[in-house]
């Protein structure tokens, strides 16, 4: 593994940990969901870097887009 | 105090549990026996350029059928939970979507649909397949829902398309049982030239059916959840 690729791996993983941590500590539910979705998007990037494009597409679609939409629908339904 | 101590203890134990994965893992230089069989026999037997698809659709076809069933049960469960229609009539949404979102989605939705269809029809050639293509189709539908807050998807139509594609999937599986080696065997059609769109037996057909089924199922779930929300 070249140093460049290793650096990208580490950067993606560190950003993922930060996003996941934000998702836990943020009090505003909408911000927490967006942080979770950012973690999913970074996870799909990591899958792509690990040569698993099949999994990366599924993770980007389900984890980053659809899960966030369903969470936001749920938050809006419970708020009123 | 005791609660915090137990939490820290649990975290430490969890870290200890995962320690071997970090310390002892090293890159494998050769394939294990099953993987080697797939890699050597897969392209010759099934003619799919994307080996992952060959494994998912044919060698492990029964598992894929199981995944489809799990997704179907999840959709049915959501429909069952949200079946009670809300007492008050559906109120008009508070505001319509912005001009930027509407114009942008008009450009993006056709491209997303095209990309989703490309992913599942080319599942045997390029990365991706039925599940991924279906999800991309659903994200196009989601964008449509966000930009046209008034419009509704026809629930009956999505359900009919989904059930019909499920039935076709099973029919193709049984055709494989009769004409080829076993249930969901894709070799009852010509293998063709590797790398062409119409090749690899019935794999493109099966994956297109799965893509349509997954897409319609997820659109149905989103539509049900959205109806609940307003």
């Amino acid at each position: 593994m070249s140093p460049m690729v290793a650096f990208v791996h580490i950067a993606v993983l560190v950003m993922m940990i930060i996003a996941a941590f934000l998702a836990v500590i943020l009090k505003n539910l909408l911000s927490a969901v967006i942080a979770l979705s950012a973690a999913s998007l970074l996870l799909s990037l990591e899958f792509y870097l690990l040569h698993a494009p099949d999994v990366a597409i599924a993770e980007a679609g389900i984890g980053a887009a659809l899960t966030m939409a369903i969470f936001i629908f749920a938050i809006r339904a419970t708020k009123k | 105090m005791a609660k915090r101590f137990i939490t820290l203890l649990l975290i430490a134990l969890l870290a200890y549990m995962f320690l071997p994965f970090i310390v002892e893992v090293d890159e494998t230089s050769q394939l294990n026996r099953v993987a080697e069989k797939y890699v050597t026999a897969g392209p010759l037997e099934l003619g799919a350029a994307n080996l992952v698809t060959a494994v998912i659709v044919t060698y492990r076809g029964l598992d894929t059928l199981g995944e489809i069933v799990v997704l179907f049960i999840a959709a049915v469960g959501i429909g069952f939970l949200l079946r009670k229609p809300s007492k008050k009539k559906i109120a008009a949404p508070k505001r319509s979507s912005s001009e930027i979102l509407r114009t942008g989605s008009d450009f993006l939705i056709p491209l997303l649909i095209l990309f989703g269809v490309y992913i599942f029809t080319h599942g045997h050639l390029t990365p991706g397949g039925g599940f991924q293509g279906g999800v991309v189709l659903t994200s196009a539908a989601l964008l449509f829902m966000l930009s046209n807050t008034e419009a509704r998807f026809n629930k009956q139509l999505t359900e009919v398309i989904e059930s019909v594609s499920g039935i076709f999937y099973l029919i193709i599986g049984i055709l494989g049982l009769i004409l080829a080696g076993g249930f969901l065997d894709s070799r009852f059609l010509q293998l063709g030239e590797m790398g062409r769109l119409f090749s690899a037996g019935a794999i493109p057909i099966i994956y297109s059916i799965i893509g349509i089924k997954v897409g319609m199922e997820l659109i149905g779930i989103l539509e049900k959840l959205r109806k609940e929300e307003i």
Side-chain angles (χ1 to χ4, degrees):
Chain A
M1 193 189 293
S2 69
M4 183 66 204
V5 176
F7 176 74
V8 174
H9 272 293
I10 291 168
V12 168
L13 289 173
V14 167
M15 282 194 289
M16 245 180 84
I17 291 172
I18 293 171
F21 195 67
L22 279 179
V24 175
I25 60 167
L26 280 176
K27 283 280 178 276
N28 185 354
L29 286 178
L30 198 61
S31 320
V33 168
I34 290 171
L36 191 67
S37 148
S40 276
L41 200 62
L42 289 165
L43 180 62
S44 88
L45 186 60
E46 178 65 26
F47 279 137
Y48 180 72
L49 291 174
L50 291 171
H51 302 287
D54 296 78
V55 192
I57 301 173
E59 177 66 32
I62 296 176
L66 290 188
T67 314
M68 182 168 77
I70 288 174
F71 268 127
I72 290 175
F73 284 158
I75 288 170
R76 279 183 57 182
T78 49
K79 241 178 196 164
K80 57 184 177 199
Chain B
M1 191 61 213
K3 207 167 146 191
R4 176 155 293 183
F5 176 72
I6 291 172
T7 313
L8 286 176
L9 189 72
L10 273 179
I11 291 175
L13 282 176
L14 206 66
Y16 182 68
M17 201 174 89
F18 280 102
L19 199 63
F21 289 106
I22 299 165
V23 178
E24 288 171 18
V25 126
D26 45 277
E27 290 180 32
T28 48
S29 53
Q30 59 192 36
L31 298 168
N32 63 26
R33 241 176 36 210
V34 182
E36 198 164 346
K37 168 133 194 327
Y38 286 153
V39 169
T40 50
L44 297 176
E45 281 180 1
L46 300 175
N50 182 8
L51 195 66
V52 178
T53 298
V55 172
I56 290 176
V57 174
T58 303
Y59 289 126
R60 293 276 177 267
L62 207 58
D63 295 15
T64 308
L65 184 63
E67 280 172 34
I68 299 275
V69 171
V70 166
L71 194 62
F72 176 70
I73 290 172
V76 169
I78 288 173
F80 182 71
L81 283 176
L82 303 180
R83 111 203 95 125
K84 207 183 283 176
S86 51
K87 286 283 187 304
K88 52 181 183 259
K89 211 61 181 138
I90 293 171
K94 284 181 200 91
R95 59 197 164 116
S96 58
S97 49
S98 71
E99 184 70 37
I100 296 172
L101 180 60
R102 265 179 289 152
T103 314
S105 63
D106 281 351
F107 281 111
L108 272 177
I109 288 171
L111 287 179
L112 273 174
I113 292 174
L114 195 66
F115 183 55
V117 172
Y118 167 81
I119 287 180
F120 66 67
T121 49
H122 288 65
H124 56 303
L125 305 174
T126 54
F131 290 99
Q132 289 89 342
V135 170
V136 173
L137 282 186
T138 315
S139 62
L142 177 65
L143 203 57
F144 181 77
M145 286 176 192
L146 294 179
S147 60
N148 300 287
T149 44
E150 305 280 334
R152 302 259 158 226
F153 281 90
N154 189 340
K155 212 175 81 182
Q156 264 96 32
L157 187 66
T158 56
E159 276 170 6
V160 165
I161 294 175
E162 187 231 309
S163 330
V164 167
S165 44
I167 292 166
F168 268 112
Y169 182 38
L170 285 178
I171 288 174
I172 286 178
I174 293 167
L175 274 181
L177 187 63
I178 296 167
L179 301 173
F183 187 62
L184 286 171
D185 194 334
S186 62
R187 282 174 297 177
F188 63 89
L189 292 177
Q190 295 260 310
L191 286 190
E193 190 185 336
M194 191 182 196
R196 289 295 179 88
L197 180 56
F198 294 103
S199 66
I203 287 179
I205 299 171
I206 293 177
Y207 242 7
S208 303
I209 287 171
I210 292 177
I212 292 168
K213 183 168 162 56
V214 168
M216 289 302 149
E217 221 149 42
L218 293 176
I219 288 172
I221 290 176
L222 278 184
E223 185 61 44
K224 273 171 202 147
L225 286 169
R226 186 171 75 134
K227 215 170 260 174
E228 193 70 5
E229 161 231 8
I230 292 170

